[in-house]
Amino acid sequence: MSNHEKMVLTGNQGIARGFYEAGGLLAASYPGSPTVEILDSIKDYEEVYAEFSTSEKVAFEVAIGGSFAGVRSMASMKHVGVNIAADPLMSFTQTKTNGGFVLLTGEDPGMASSQNEQDNRILGKFANMGIVAPGDSQEAIDYTKAAFDLSEEYHLPMMVNITSRVCHSRTPVVLGERKEVEPRVFEKDVERYCMIPPHTHPLQHSMKDRIDKLKEFAYDSELNTFEEGEDKDTLIVTSGLLYHNLKELDLNLSIYKLGMVYPLSPKRLQELSQKFKRIIVIEELMPVIETEIKMMGIECEGKKYFSFTGELHTEDIEEGLKKAGVITERTTTDRAPVDSVKRTPLFCAGCPHRPIFDILKKLRKRVIGDIGCYSMAMFEPFQASDSIISMGATVGITKGMTKANALTGKSEPLVSVIGDGTMFHSGLPGFVNLLHQENETDNMTFIVLDNRTTAMTGGQATAASGNYTSADDMHVDIKTFIQAIGHENVVEVDQFDYEATKKVITEETNKPGISFIIAKRPCALKFKIQENTFYVNPNVCIGCRNCIKTNCPPIRMKKYHNIDKLKSSIDPSMCAGCSVCAQVCPVDAIQPKGQHPDHSKKGSAKYKRQEYQKMKLNNEDQNEDPK
Ligand code: SF4
Ligand code: SF4
């Protein structure tokens, strides 16, 4: 991409470009929608160090290190990731930033891909950060650059607060030049960088002073713009994408558009309030700007006309303005609900998680789930997860439920499932915690689903990806790691060996104590695994649907020519050749392509597993790198 070139970028690409043009040198992140593409895009700039860390807290700390060392640094994450990073965040904002520091947070109004909806402007204010909120891709570039400049000028970490709609929509931008920023020197200054009393007391005051200076900057900053319209009674205060949604209504209103949403300039708002009879704030989620203005003693309205949840589309804004009496007629109609076919999310063909959940369902185990693509186990047909709260929470919840059951005289073996990425992210402290207060009545089985990737966010590496990806070759052996903590009972299984895995899960969940099962199969989608495909012989199939219940997308019941009853079939273009369906078929109707059922071989599940192992070995010989 050359300078001054016009192009169309997503908001996420705009943030990445802004980081590059600002002279950013270090970026760290943990993958999460809607912001995952920011770091993926930054990785394309060779001048920059960029890493997906094991959690948002670690990413934030890596970026703190970059700033301490004097370079422009950014940590990017989805909104809930900031909760994980909140501990270092709340202390770091007390220090005077050395190299410019930006925390990028991606909000998800409407929760398209998140477990909750939270407004991180509140966290930014809580942490005493300046906050800018871009509304399109050009602003994503410009505001990121401005945030780095402000961070260095005012020695404050800045928050760039972006919403999922802006992250993913594409708008035109003009590319600028990269500014080479001379790294600042890190000088020993314990009063500035060591967050212990008595240093923290004066730093609290200096942090507030720095925010007050930023209020002065906000007074006539180009980030905040005032447009005088024909309506001289009402002033609309808004920011980000909502400004563009409002402009679509072509209402000729007076608008104060905030690029910097925190802090606001009290002086500026006092002046504006003198000119207008009413101030109406339009903002998504929480009434953050509205509350700030009210705290200045200035009357304003907002949330009573607009929803506190979800996105505010142009139609919602128009409806709110009509409720407020700013307009009398509407030109748009309410958004018609999108008439889409309801589809339950599915595990992919050949997904190594499916046999695990099929087994857990058949064994009727209570399963405490976690965040990752395996969260889909809560849906039909598995319905095998009883709880999903937040990243890594399964471990503590499982322990808490076990202890509560013991206190109330109940006894129930609990199974906890956690992905490899989630385990490294925030499951490990829970694993250590299990060793406190362990007693012989505990019966907890932790299944680590090691598919060598964070599949849900597009296949970024995990600490265990190791030789599966050359891009990031850290290789932590999960079994060794868990044993090193002090857990003795750790078993590895190949979950494509269905019967053996079922036997291990049955044994481990039945015996008392804490056990770990590591299910080791790489993600079929990420590593494009397609071994020999399987087919159904309809003349042998008895239509029992055992294979269908494994929930693999290529399998369906269909009508064959000259056969009355519905029989199973497999779409070969989708089959990844994992053999699980063949292993659950009671009559050997499912066979590897190119082979014909040999019904003389009784006990054929074993036979098929042997065939499958042979096939796998052949494949590994032919292609050692499963990418
Ligand atoms: S072998 Fe069966 S379970 Fe495995 S991917 Fe093919 S159809 Fe799905
Ligand atoms: S499990 Fe076997 S017999 Fe049953 S429907 Fe599937 S292919 Fe047919």
Side-chain angles (χ1 to χ4, degrees):
M1 291 189 280
S2 58
N3 302 330
H4 311 300
E5 188 181 337
K6 285 188 185 166
M7 50 190 326
V8 175
L9 295 183
T10 64
N12 279 338
Q13 291 168 329
I15 296 285
R17 181 72 193 181
F19 171 81
Y20 171 78
E21 290 183 11
L25 269 182
L26 184 147
S29 181
Y30 183 79
S33 183
T35 54
V36 67
E37 298 88 4
I38 294 174
L39 201 90
D40 278 335
S41 304
I42 287 176
K43 274 175 175 270
D44 293 340
Y45 297 112
E46 57 189 32
E47 297 91 334
V48 170
Y49 173 75
E51 72 165 43
F52 277 117
S53 312
T54 49
S55 74
E56 293 85 356
K57 178 176 179 292
V58 177
F60 192 87
E61 290 158 348
V62 169
I64 290 178
S67 170
F68 277 1
V71 305
R72 292 191 162 192
S73 304
M74 181 165 83
S76 63
M77 55 198 68
K78 70 179 291 170
H79 60 307
V80 290
V82 181
N83 305 342
I84 308 297
D87 194 22
L89 167 66
M90 299 306 290
S91 291
F92 177 55
T93 49
Q94 293 182 122
T95 66
K96 288 186 186 166
T97 311
N98 194 26
F101 186 98
V102 163
L103 166 62
L104 182 291
T105 155
E107 315 290 293
D108 191 6
M111 296 163 285
S113 56
S114 307
Q115 63 269 46
N116 71 26
E117 200 180 40
Q118 73 184 39
D119 193 329
N120 278 353
R121 293 176 302 172
I122 291 175
L123 274 179
K125 180 190 166 185
F126 187 36
N128 290 283
M129 310 178 83
I131 308 171
V132 295
D136 58 32
S137 303
Q138 184 66 60
E139 287 184 356
I141 296 176
D142 297 342
Y143 288 15
T144 303
K145 289 159 68 176
F148 276 112
D149 289 344
L150 289 171
S151 175
E152 284 177 356
E153 190 176 344
Y154 293 88
H155 297 294
L156 273 170
M158 293 289 294
M159 173 181 276
V160 177
N161 185 286
I162 192 166
T163 60
S164 46
R165 182 76 48 182
V166 181
C167 286
H168 296 138
S169 51
R170 292 170 191 274
T171 55
V173 300
V174 180
L175 302 184
E177 288 174 14
R178 176 170 165 87
K179 174 172 154 182
E180 292 302 335
V181 182
E182 191 64 29
R184 296 175 171 211
V185 176
F186 176 75
E187 284 172 352
K188 187 177 173 73
D189 185 346
V190 291
E191 289 176 10
R192 176 172 170 178
Y193 295 119
C194 296
M195 292 305 110
I196 51 165
H199 307 158
T200 46
H201 191 257
L203 285 171
Q204 279 288 314
H205 290 274
S206 101
M207 182 170 66
K208 288 289 177 201
D209 289 346
R210 283 175 275 143
I211 283 285
D212 283 343
K213 290 206 174 77
L214 207 54
K215 282 182 189 167
E216 289 166 26
F217 164 83
Y219 175 73
D220 56 1
S221 164
E222 287 177 4
L223 291 170
N224 303 326
T225 52
F226 172 65
E227 281 175 29
E228 188 142 23
E230 279 171 11
D231 185 339
K232 305 288 187 235
D233 288 343
T234 305
L235 172 69
I236 305 291
V237 179
T238 192
S239 66
L241 180 70
L242 299 188
Y243 167 80
H244 300 287
N245 289 354
L246 173 66
K247 292 295 278 184
E248 276 186 24
L249 293 168
D250 200 18
L251 294 173
N252 210 349
L253 293 164
S254 297
I255 302 170
Y256 186 41
K257 174 181 180 285
L258 294 166
M260 192 161 81
V261 296
Y262 184 79
L264 306 181
S265 162
K267 187 175 162 206
R268 183 69 158 157
L269 280 148
Q270 289 288 357
E271 285 174 6
L272 288 167
S273 70
Q274 306 297 316
K275 290 180 69 173
F276 295 91
K277 290 184 188 150
R278 298 175 81 188
I279 295 178
I280 293 179
V281 181
I282 305 176
E283 59 190 321
E284 278 171 344
L285 303 181
M286 305 291 284
V288 176
I289 298 169
E290 183 183 347
T291 306
E292 281 297 300
I293 296 174
K294 283 179 174 161
M295 282 170 61
M296 293 169 189
I298 299 169
E299 268 186 43
C300 68
E301 307 158 275
K303 274 296 145 188
K304 63 181 175 182
Y305 305 123
F306 303 100
S307 174
F308 72 94
T309 180
E311 295 180 293
L312 290 182
H313 301 281
T314 302
E315 299 83 351
D316 306 314
I317 291 173
E318 192 179 44
E319 190 195 354
L321 290 175
K322 183 156 180 283
K323 271 196 224 159
V326 176
I327 56 173
T328 51
E329 296 295 327
R330 289 189 57 187
T331 55
T332 65
T333 49
D334 286 336
R335 283 166 69 84
V338 180
D339 197 13
S340 59
V341 179
K342 295 249 180 307
R343 284 179 306 176
T344 308
L346 277 179
F347 286 99
C348 304
C351 171
H353 302 332
R354 279 184 306 97
I356 296 292
F357 289 109
D358 189 55
I359 291 166
L360 290 172
K361 183 176 183 182
K362 284 180 180 150
L363 295 177
R364 297 177 187 277
K365 296 297 175 191
R366 185 169 305 287
V367 177
I368 311 303
D370 215 299
I371 304 278
C373 58
Y374 51 94
S375 306
M376 288 187 293
M378 73 179 187
F379 295 121
E380 290 269 15
F382 294 127
Q383 294 176 297
S385 291
D386 295 288
S387 147
I388 297 168
I389 297 295
S390 62
M391 291 285 282
T394 182
V395 189
I397 291 171
T398 304
K399 176 168 178 176
M401 282 180 77
T402 301
K403 296 296 177 188
N405 282 345
L407 290 170
T408 52
K410 292 179 216 142
S411 168
E412 183 180 33
L414 293 180
V415 180
S416 162
V417 287
I418 188 165
D420 50 348
T422 309
M423 185 198 77
F424 287 115
H425 177 276
S426 46
L428 290 176
F431 285 176
V432 175
N433 185 58
L434 288 170
L435 297 163
H436 289 305
Q437 313 293 337
E438 186 182 355
N439 61 39
E440 63 282 356
T441 58
D442 286 340
N443 185 351
M444 295 175 249
T445 305
F446 294 87
I447 301 181
V448 180
L449 302 168
D450 177 13
N451 66 356
R452 311 292 166 93
T453 187
T454 45
M456 196 180 195
T457 47
Q460 291 74 27
T462 76
S465 299
N467 47 17
Y468 274 88
T469 165
S470 55
D472 191 344
D473 62 359
M474 179 164 44
H475 188 183
V476 179
D477 182 75
I478 294 176
K479 183 177 180 188
T480 308
F481 204 104
I482 294 172
Q483 284 177 326
I485 293 170
H487 293 289
E488 288 166 8
N489 192 9
V490 188
V491 195
E492 289 180 330
V493 294
D494 174 355
Q495 62 270 51
F496 285 172
D497 192 341
Y498 186 90
E499 286 304 326
T501 301
K502 191 173 176 185
K503 185 164 173 282
V504 168
I505 293 178
T506 308
E507 283 170 5
E508 295 302 326
T509 51
N510 283 339
K511 72 183 182 204
I514 297 174
S515 50
F516 287 82
I517 299 171
I518 305 167
K520 289 167 73 82
R521 272 283 169 177
C523 171
L525 188 69
K526 162 75 181 171
F527 300 109
K528 299 193 171 34
I529 291 166
Q530 187 162 40
E531 294 169 350
N532 199 7
T533 58
F534 281 65
Y535 78 100
V536 178
N537 183 336
N539 296 315
V540 179
C541 173
I542 55 172
C544 70
R545 296 179 187 245
N546 272 359
C547 56
I548 296 277
K549 288 174 194 157
T550 66
N551 193 25
C552 192
I555 314 177
R556 68 184 178 96
M557 302 302 285
K558 81 166 192 185
K559 175 85 182 70
Y560 285 86
H561 183 62
N562 279 343
I563 300 178
D564 290 341
K565 204 174 160 190
L566 288 179
K567 299 293 175 84
S568 172
S569 75
I570 292 174
D571 178 344
S573 67
M574 292 170 74
C575 174
C578 73
S579 87
V580 169
C581 58
Q583 293 181 50
V584 299
C585 175
V587 293
D588 291 347
I590 304 178
Q591 297 289 334
K593 197 174 121 203
Q595 289 183 27
H596 295 285
D598 181 352
H599 300 290
S600 64
K601 290 185 191 291
K602 298 297 176 198
S604 58
K606 187 174 168 207
Y607 163 73
K608 277 181 285 194
R609 279 200 302 280
Q610 285 166 349
E611 287 301 300
Y612 170 66
Q613 290 298 344
K614 266 193 248 160
M615 217 166 57
K616 187 161 68 77
L617 288 174
N618 285 342
N619 270 359
E620 280 168 8
D621 284 349
Q622 285 163 23
N623 180 12
E624 287 192 344
D625 182 356
K627 275 187 294 175

